[in-house]
Amino acid sequence: MDKSMLGDLDSLPEEDKVRLSVMVDQLQVRDSLRMYNSLVERCFTDCVDTFRRKTLDKQEETCVRRCAEKFLKHSMRVGMRFQELNQGAATPD
């Protein structure tokens, strides 16, 4: 985020700051739910083959665990990379 934008946020009335904070919180919840739903859909599609039982068999369970771990590691790495890029963009050259 540009430093001039941060200055603009400080000059906002308190009511607008609260409203902005609520909007940011809502966006974060929405993004978290999207990521969770994407994880569930992807791993279910990749790992569950049959509906013979109420529970997952051992192979499906292992697949789901591995899929979820990979998905979360990937998401964390992407988040870290975006953070690195944002920090690089915030520092003047």
Side-chain angles (χ1 to χ4, degrees), residues 4-40:
S4 64
M5 291 176 71
L6 291 174
D8 291 343
L9 292 177
D10 288 338
S11 65
L12 286 175
E14 195 61 34
E15 181 181 310
D16 288 342
K17 288 180 186 178
V18 170
R19 196 175 310 138
L20 186 60
S21 176
V22 169
M23 286 174 48
V24 168
D25 290 343
Q26 288 173 342
L27 289 172
Q28 288 175 337
V29 168
R30 185 196 70 195
D31 288 343
S32 295
L33 288 173
R34 249 189 217 154
M35 185 178 92
Y36 176 78
N37 287 335
S38 178
L39 165 67
V40 169

Short mmCIF file of all heavy atoms in Angstrom, two decimals, residues 4-40:
data_model
loop_
_atom_site.label_atom_id
_atom_site.label_comp_id
_atom_site.label_asym_id
_atom_site.label_seq_id
_atom_site.Cartn_x
_atom_site.Cartn_y
_atom_site.Cartn_z
N SER A 4 1.14 7.41 0.90
CA SER A 4 0.19 8.52 0.81
C SER A 4 -1.22 8.03 1.11
O SER A 4 -2.04 8.76 1.67
CB SER A 4 0.25 9.18 -0.56
OG SER A 4 -0.15 8.27 -1.57
N MET A 5 -1.50 6.77 0.77
CA MET A 5 -2.82 6.21 1.07
C MET A 5 -2.98 6.01 2.57
O MET A 5 -4.05 6.22 3.12
CB MET A 5 -3.02 4.88 0.35
CG MET A 5 -3.15 5.00 -1.16
SD MET A 5 -3.27 3.42 -1.97
CE MET A 5 -4.90 2.93 -1.48
N LEU A 6 -1.91 5.61 3.25
CA LEU A 6 -1.97 5.44 4.69
C LEU A 6 -2.26 6.76 5.38
O LEU A 6 -3.01 6.81 6.34
CB LEU A 6 -0.67 4.83 5.22
CG LEU A 6 -0.41 3.38 4.85
CD1 LEU A 6 0.97 2.95 5.31
CD2 LEU A 6 -1.47 2.46 5.39
N GLY A 7 -1.66 7.82 4.87
CA GLY A 7 -1.93 9.13 5.42
C GLY A 7 -3.39 9.52 5.26
O GLY A 7 -3.99 10.11 6.15
N ASP A 8 -3.95 9.18 4.13
CA ASP A 8 -5.37 9.46 3.88
C ASP A 8 -6.25 8.70 4.86
O ASP A 8 -7.28 9.21 5.29
CB ASP A 8 -5.75 9.10 2.44
CG ASP A 8 -5.11 10.03 1.42
OD1 ASP A 8 -4.66 11.13 1.83
OD2 ASP A 8 -5.07 9.67 0.23
N LEU A 9 -5.88 7.47 5.20
CA LEU A 9 -6.68 6.69 6.15
C LEU A 9 -6.65 7.31 7.53
O LEU A 9 -7.65 7.29 8.24
CB LEU A 9 -6.17 5.25 6.23
CG LEU A 9 -6.37 4.38 4.98
CD1 LEU A 9 -5.75 3.01 5.18
CD2 LEU A 9 -7.84 4.26 4.64
N ASP A 10 -5.53 7.87 7.92
CA ASP A 10 -5.43 8.51 9.23
C ASP A 10 -6.32 9.74 9.32
O ASP A 10 -6.78 10.10 10.40
CB ASP A 10 -3.99 8.91 9.53
CG ASP A 10 -3.11 7.71 9.82
OD1 ASP A 10 -3.66 6.64 10.20
OD2 ASP A 10 -1.88 7.82 9.65
N SER A 11 -6.56 10.37 8.19
CA SER A 11 -7.37 11.59 8.21
C SER A 11 -8.87 11.30 8.12
O SER A 11 -9.67 12.23 8.21
CB SER A 11 -6.96 12.51 7.06
OG SER A 11 -7.27 11.90 5.81
N LEU A 12 -9.25 10.05 7.98
CA LEU A 12 -10.67 9.70 7.91
C LEU A 12 -11.35 9.89 9.26
O LEU A 12 -10.72 9.70 10.30
CB LEU A 12 -10.84 8.24 7.49
CG LEU A 12 -10.59 7.87 6.05
CD1 LEU A 12 -10.68 6.36 5.87
CD2 LEU A 12 -11.56 8.57 5.12
N PRO A 13 -12.62 10.23 9.23
CA PRO A 13 -13.37 10.29 10.49
C PRO A 13 -13.44 8.89 11.12
O PRO A 13 -13.37 7.88 10.43
CB PRO A 13 -14.77 10.75 10.07
CG PRO A 13 -14.63 11.28 8.69
CD PRO A 13 -13.42 10.65 8.09
N GLU A 14 -13.58 8.83 12.42
CA GLU A 14 -13.59 7.56 13.15
C GLU A 14 -14.68 6.62 12.65
O GLU A 14 -14.48 5.41 12.54
CB GLU A 14 -13.77 7.83 14.65
CG GLU A 14 -13.44 6.65 15.51
CD GLU A 14 -11.99 6.21 15.38
OE1 GLU A 14 -11.10 7.06 15.19
OE2 GLU A 14 -11.74 5.00 15.47
N GLU A 15 -15.82 7.17 12.31
CA GLU A 15 -16.93 6.35 11.80
C GLU A 15 -16.54 5.64 10.50
O GLU A 15 -16.86 4.46 10.31
CB GLU A 15 -18.15 7.26 11.56
CG GLU A 15 -19.38 6.52 11.05
CD GLU A 15 -20.53 7.48 10.82
OE1 GLU A 15 -20.84 8.28 11.74
OE2 GLU A 15 -21.10 7.44 9.71
N ASP A 16 -15.84 6.34 9.62
CA ASP A 16 -15.41 5.73 8.37
C ASP A 16 -14.33 4.68 8.60
O ASP A 16 -14.28 3.66 7.92
CB ASP A 16 -14.89 6.80 7.41
CG ASP A 16 -16.01 7.66 6.86
OD1 ASP A 16 -17.19 7.25 6.94
OD2 ASP A 16 -15.71 8.77 6.34
N LYS A 17 -13.45 4.93 9.57
CA LYS A 17 -12.43 3.94 9.91
C LYS A 17 -13.08 2.64 10.40
O LYS A 17 -12.67 1.55 10.02
CB LYS A 17 -11.49 4.47 10.98
CG LYS A 17 -10.53 5.53 10.50
CD LYS A 17 -9.65 5.97 11.65
CE LYS A 17 -8.78 7.13 11.26
NZ LYS A 17 -7.95 7.59 12.38
N VAL A 18 -14.10 2.77 11.24
CA VAL A 18 -14.81 1.60 11.75
C VAL A 18 -15.49 0.87 10.60
O VAL A 18 -15.42 -0.36 10.50
CB VAL A 18 -15.84 2.01 12.84
CG1 VAL A 18 -16.75 0.86 13.20
CG2 VAL A 18 -15.12 2.54 14.07
N ARG A 19 -16.15 1.61 9.73
CA ARG A 19 -16.83 1.00 8.58
C ARG A 19 -15.83 0.27 7.68
O ARG A 19 -16.08 -0.84 7.22
CB ARG A 19 -17.57 2.09 7.80
CG ARG A 19 -18.61 1.52 6.86
CD ARG A 19 -19.45 2.59 6.16
NE ARG A 19 -19.99 3.55 7.11
CZ ARG A 19 -20.03 4.86 6.90
NH1 ARG A 19 -19.57 5.37 5.78
NH2 ARG A 19 -20.54 5.67 7.80
N LEU A 20 -14.68 0.88 7.45
CA LEU A 20 -13.64 0.28 6.63
C LEU A 20 -13.10 -0.99 7.30
O LEU A 20 -12.89 -2.01 6.63
CB LEU A 20 -12.51 1.28 6.40
CG LEU A 20 -11.41 0.87 5.46
CD1 LEU A 20 -11.96 0.58 4.06
CD2 LEU A 20 -10.35 1.95 5.38
N SER A 21 -12.93 -0.94 8.59
CA SER A 21 -12.46 -2.11 9.34
C SER A 21 -13.45 -3.26 9.23
O SER A 21 -13.05 -4.42 9.04
CB SER A 21 -12.24 -1.73 10.80
OG SER A 21 -11.88 -2.85 11.54
N VAL A 22 -14.72 -2.98 9.34
CA VAL A 22 -15.76 -4.01 9.20
C VAL A 22 -15.73 -4.61 7.80
O VAL A 22 -15.82 -5.84 7.64
CB VAL A 22 -17.15 -3.43 9.53
CG1 VAL A 22 -18.27 -4.38 9.14
CG2 VAL A 22 -17.25 -3.08 11.01
N MET A 23 -15.57 -3.77 6.80
CA MET A 23 -15.52 -4.27 5.42
C MET A 23 -14.31 -5.18 5.21
O MET A 23 -14.42 -6.24 4.59
CB MET A 23 -15.47 -3.10 4.43
CG MET A 23 -16.79 -2.40 4.27
SD MET A 23 -16.71 -0.91 3.22
CE MET A 23 -15.82 -1.45 1.80
N VAL A 24 -13.16 -4.79 5.74
CA VAL A 24 -11.96 -5.61 5.62
C VAL A 24 -12.17 -6.96 6.32
O VAL A 24 -11.81 -8.01 5.78
CB VAL A 24 -10.73 -4.87 6.19
CG1 VAL A 24 -9.54 -5.81 6.35
CG2 VAL A 24 -10.36 -3.70 5.30
N ASP A 25 -12.77 -6.94 7.50
CA ASP A 25 -13.05 -8.18 8.23
C ASP A 25 -13.97 -9.08 7.42
O ASP A 25 -13.76 -10.30 7.34
CB ASP A 25 -13.67 -7.89 9.59
CG ASP A 25 -12.69 -7.29 10.58
OD1 ASP A 25 -11.46 -7.37 10.34
OD2 ASP A 25 -13.15 -6.72 11.60
N GLN A 26 -15.00 -8.52 6.82
CA GLN A 26 -15.93 -9.30 6.01
C GLN A 26 -15.22 -9.91 4.80
O GLN A 26 -15.47 -11.07 4.45
CB GLN A 26 -17.11 -8.44 5.55
CG GLN A 26 -18.06 -8.08 6.65
CD GLN A 26 -19.12 -7.08 6.22
OE1 GLN A 26 -18.99 -6.39 5.20
NE2 GLN A 26 -20.18 -6.99 7.00
N LEU A 27 -14.35 -9.15 4.16
CA LEU A 27 -13.60 -9.67 3.02
C LEU A 27 -12.68 -10.82 3.44
O LEU A 27 -12.54 -11.81 2.72
CB LEU A 27 -12.79 -8.56 2.36
CG LEU A 27 -13.60 -7.53 1.59
CD1 LEU A 27 -12.70 -6.37 1.15
CD2 LEU A 27 -14.28 -8.15 0.38
N GLN A 28 -12.06 -10.69 4.60
CA GLN A 28 -11.19 -11.75 5.08
C GLN A 28 -11.97 -13.03 5.38
O GLN A 28 -11.52 -14.12 5.05
CB GLN A 28 -10.42 -11.30 6.33
CG GLN A 28 -9.34 -10.29 6.02
CD GLN A 28 -8.65 -9.76 7.26
OE1 GLN A 28 -9.19 -9.79 8.35
NE2 GLN A 28 -7.44 -9.27 7.07
N VAL A 29 -13.15 -12.90 5.98
CA VAL A 29 -13.99 -14.07 6.24
C VAL A 29 -14.42 -14.70 4.92
O VAL A 29 -14.35 -15.93 4.75
CB VAL A 29 -15.22 -13.68 7.09
CG1 VAL A 29 -16.24 -14.80 7.13
CG2 VAL A 29 -14.80 -13.30 8.50
N ARG A 30 -14.83 -13.88 3.98
CA ARG A 30 -15.25 -14.41 2.68
C ARG A 30 -14.12 -15.15 1.98
O ARG A 30 -14.30 -16.25 1.46
CB ARG A 30 -15.73 -13.26 1.78
CG ARG A 30 -16.31 -13.75 0.46
CD ARG A 30 -16.43 -12.66 -0.55
NE ARG A 30 -15.07 -12.29 -0.95
CZ ARG A 30 -14.75 -11.20 -1.60
NH1 ARG A 30 -15.67 -10.33 -1.92
NH2 ARG A 30 -13.50 -10.95 -1.93
N ASP A 31 -12.92 -14.57 2.01
CA ASP A 31 -11.77 -15.22 1.38
C ASP A 31 -11.41 -16.52 2.08
O ASP A 31 -11.04 -17.50 1.43
CB ASP A 31 -10.57 -14.29 1.34
CG ASP A 31 -10.75 -13.15 0.34
OD1 ASP A 31 -11.63 -13.27 -0.54
OD2 ASP A 31 -10.01 -12.16 0.44
N SER A 32 -11.51 -16.55 3.40
CA SER A 32 -11.23 -17.78 4.15
C SER A 32 -12.23 -18.87 3.79
O SER A 32 -11.85 -20.04 3.59
CB SER A 32 -11.30 -17.53 5.66
OG SER A 32 -10.29 -16.65 6.05
N LEU A 33 -13.49 -18.52 3.70
CA LEU A 33 -14.52 -19.50 3.32
C LEU A 33 -14.31 -19.99 1.89
O LEU A 33 -14.48 -21.18 1.60
CB LEU A 33 -15.92 -18.90 3.48
CG LEU A 33 -16.38 -18.71 4.92
CD1 LEU A 33 -17.69 -17.95 4.96
CD2 LEU A 33 -16.50 -20.04 5.63
N ARG A 34 -13.93 -19.09 1.01
CA ARG A 34 -13.65 -19.50 -0.37
C ARG A 34 -12.50 -20.49 -0.44
O ARG A 34 -12.55 -21.48 -1.16
CB ARG A 34 -13.28 -18.27 -1.20
CG ARG A 34 -14.31 -17.93 -2.20
CD ARG A 34 -13.82 -16.86 -3.14
NE ARG A 34 -14.97 -16.03 -3.40
CZ ARG A 34 -14.94 -14.77 -3.74
NH1 ARG A 34 -13.80 -14.17 -3.87
NH2 ARG A 34 -16.03 -14.12 -3.97
N MET A 35 -11.43 -20.20 0.32
CA MET A 35 -10.28 -21.10 0.33
C MET A 35 -10.68 -22.46 0.90
O MET A 35 -10.32 -23.50 0.34
CB MET A 35 -9.14 -20.51 1.16
CG MET A 35 -7.89 -21.36 1.09
SD MET A 35 -6.52 -20.67 2.00
CE MET A 35 -6.75 -21.47 3.57
N TYR A 36 -11.43 -22.47 1.98
CA TYR A 36 -11.88 -23.72 2.58
C TYR A 36 -12.75 -24.52 1.61
O TYR A 36 -12.55 -25.73 1.42
CB TYR A 36 -12.65 -23.43 3.87
CG TYR A 36 -13.24 -24.66 4.51
CD1 TYR A 36 -12.44 -25.52 5.25
CD2 TYR A 36 -14.58 -24.98 4.36
CE1 TYR A 36 -12.96 -26.66 5.83
CE2 TYR A 36 -15.11 -26.11 4.94
CZ TYR A 36 -14.30 -26.95 5.67
OH TYR A 36 -14.83 -28.08 6.23
N ASN A 37 -13.70 -23.86 0.97
CA ASN A 37 -14.57 -24.55 0.01
C ASN A 37 -13.78 -25.09 -1.17
O ASN A 37 -14.06 -26.19 -1.66
CB ASN A 37 -15.69 -23.62 -0.47
CG ASN A 37 -16.72 -23.37 0.59
OD1 ASN A 37 -16.93 -24.18 1.48
ND2 ASN A 37 -17.39 -22.23 0.50
N SER A 38 -12.82 -24.34 -1.63
CA SER A 38 -11.98 -24.80 -2.73
C SER A 38 -11.17 -26.02 -2.32
O SER A 38 -11.06 -26.98 -3.09
CB SER A 38 -11.04 -23.66 -3.15
OG SER A 38 -10.19 -24.08 -4.18
N LEU A 39 -10.64 -26.00 -1.12
CA LEU A 39 -9.88 -27.14 -0.59
C LEU A 39 -10.77 -28.38 -0.52
O LEU A 39 -10.38 -29.45 -1.00
CB LEU A 39 -9.34 -26.80 0.80
CG LEU A 39 -8.82 -27.95 1.65
CD1 LEU A 39 -7.58 -28.55 1.03
CD2 LEU A 39 -8.54 -27.48 3.06
N VAL A 40 -11.94 -28.25 0.05
CA VAL A 40 -12.84 -29.39 0.20
C VAL A 40 -13.23 -29.95 -1.17
O VAL A 40 -13.17 -31.16 -1.40
CB VAL A 40 -14.10 -28.99 1.00
CG1 VAL A 40 -15.16 -30.08 0.94
CG2 VAL A 40 -13.74 -28.68 2.44
#
